[in-house]
Amino acid sequence: MILPKKDNDFVKELLKKKESEVLDFKHSITDSQKIAKTIAAFANAKGGILAVGIDDKGKITGIDEEEERFMLDQAAKKWCTPPVDISYDLYEIDYWDEQKLEEELYILIATVNSKGMKHSVPNANGEPIFYTRVFDRTVPV
């Protein structure tokens, strides 16, 4: 488990941003092969951040940190060729807009760095497909 940080200012600044070539909000990770495409796309371009526990409209939904990190690690190591390194930060929110929440919410920030290598993810036939980011979309090259 990662020790959570309490930095509501960081989270508020993050929520002001829109999804882009370097930022993607995810409510949760349900398919490691599907998210591998976004991880590979970030690694193939400028790098990027997956903010897990925030929906597409910028609402904090919270996550189970261990489950989400497991899914991201699976995506980066099992589905990406070569494997992609991801670093993690966990943010705990127990107060929001000056009100104490009934229970804490957690956001996982997964940072993918670009190291100049090209990463692929196999399609249904096992063929390697390379991805990149175009605005807020992950697309095959």
Side-chain angles (χ1 to χ4, degrees):
M1 175 156 182
I2 303 169
L3 290 176
K5 299 177 181 183
K6 291 187 178 189
D7 188 345
N8 283 10
D9 290 336
F10 170 82
V11 175
K12 285 178 182 178
E13 286 302 311
L14 182 67
L15 294 176
K16 289 179 184 177
K17 298 177 182 179
K18 294 184 179 183
E19 290 185 314
S20 66
E21 290 178 350
V22 295
L23 177 64
D24 201 356
F25 294 132
K26 293 293 178 197
H27 168 69
S28 64
I29 308 299
T30 57
D31 184 334
S32 62
Q33 186 176 14
K34 185 175 176 184
I35 198 65
K37 296 172 185 177
T38 301
I39 292 169
F42 281 150
N44 289 340
K46 301 178 208 173
I49 293 173
L50 284 162
V52 187
I54 301 173
D55 70 15
D56 288 340
K57 295 182 179 169
K59 181 178 184 256
I60 299 170
T61 57
I63 49 110
D64 174 339
E65 174 257 334
E66 289 183 21
E67 177 64 25
E68 301 301 338
R69 202 173 60 185
F70 172 80
M71 294 293 283
L72 289 166
D73 283 341
Q74 280 270 296
K77 291 174 178 42
K78 178 181 177 183
W79 294 107
C80 292
T81 304
V84 175
D85 289 327
I86 300 177
S87 60
Y88 298 104
D89 288 304
L90 184 66
Y91 288 85
E92 177 183 351
I93 293 112
D94 53 1
Y95 278 87
W96 195 253
D97 291 332
E98 308 303 322
Q99 294 184 359
K100 181 156 179 57
L101 302 178
E102 289 182 27
E103 75 178 62
E104 299 87 12
L105 295 175
Y106 294 91
I107 297 169
L108 185 65
I109 303 298
T111 303
V112 177
N113 292 312
S114 176
K115 298 199 176 178
M117 292 187 276
K118 292 299 176 190
H119 301 268
S120 65
V121 177
N123 66 11
N125 297 326
E127 300 163 336
I129 305 294
F130 294 87
Y131 293 88
T132 193
R133 291 286 287 185
V134 175
F135 302 110
D136 63 346
R137 303 269 179 227
T138 297
V139 296
V141 177

